[in-house]
Amino acid sequence: MTDQTEEQTTTVTAEEPIGTAVQQADPTVHEATKKMEKLTTSFSIWPPSQRTRDAVIKRLIETLTNKSVLSDRYGTVPSDEAAGFARSIEDEAFNAVPGSVADGDDGVEILQAYSKEISKRMLEFVKSRSVAAVKDGGDAAGDGGVKEEVAET
């Protein structure tokens, strides 16, 4: 037993544009294309939603309070202190970049500027905190003043 499928073909003459033949074959294709164009033209990633901004703050707090390359050099920050500074860093970075996107722009450039501002401000914060701790005779690295030495073998 063999399966036979019925094929529909549309003949296009040289005088007839191809788009017309497609529309005649299935008028819903044209409607679907128009709907997709409307959806894609309204996509923008700036400004971020409050939920996204809160996620950025949460990640900043994690970065400042947990062991990382940053904390190895500048020390970790207590959670309560990190929470306040993370909110401040994010808010300052958000306000430092343009608030709206131009027509036809999806906001990628603004998002990149926002990200760079956050990184710059976070680094400035940990550096200033580290310098202040050293001036006060504190432990800037968070390691009790003990440096580990690696034995060469």
Side-chain angles (χ1 to χ4, degrees):
M1 198 182 271
T2 61
D3 290 330
Q4 293 181 341
T5 58
E6 185 178 317
E7 291 184 23
Q8 288 184 333
T9 58
T10 304
T11 306
V12 178
T13 62
E15 300 160 1
E16 183 179 18
I18 293 175
T20 306
V22 171
Q23 287 176 2
Q24 289 172 351
D26 190 0
T28 58
V29 169
H30 182 66
E31 293 171 21
T33 303
K34 280 187 176 183
K35 287 180 183 177
M36 289 300 291
E37 287 173 354
K38 287 181 183 178
L39 289 175
T40 58
T41 58
S42 65
F43 177 76
S44 178
I45 58 175
W46 188 263
S49 66
Q50 186 60 48
R51 182 177 172 195
T52 301
R53 292 182 67 190
D54 291 341
V56 168
I57 293 168
K58 182 180 177 185
R59 184 67 181 123
L60 276 169
I61 293 169
E62 290 173 5
T63 302
L64 293 170
T65 59
N66 294 330
K67 184 122 174 90
S68 66
V69 173
L70 193 65
S71 69
D72 287 346
R73 182 164 183 143
Y74 300 106
T76 57
V77 180
S79 294
D80 56 338
E81 188 179 346
F85 280 105
R87 283 183 186 80
S88 176
I89 289 167
E90 191 282 332
D91 191 51
E92 289 173 11
F94 183 79
N95 291 323
V97 296
S100 61
V101 295
D103 287 340
D105 186 11
D106 59 3
V108 172
E109 291 83 14
I110 297 174
L111 185 65
Q112 288 174 337
Y114 168 71
S115 179
K116 286 179 183 178
E117 282 293 324
I118 288 173
S119 297
K120 180 180 87 174
R121 291 167 192 273
M122 181 176 58
L123 190 57
E124 288 171 355
F125 166 69
V126 294
K127 281 182 176 180
S128 68
R129 188 176 176 282
S130 177
V131 168
V134 169
K135 285 182 181 177
D136 292 341
D139 177 22
D143 61 5
V146 177
K147 298 286 181 191
E148 289 184 29
E149 293 188 24
V150 179
E152 293 182 31
T153 55

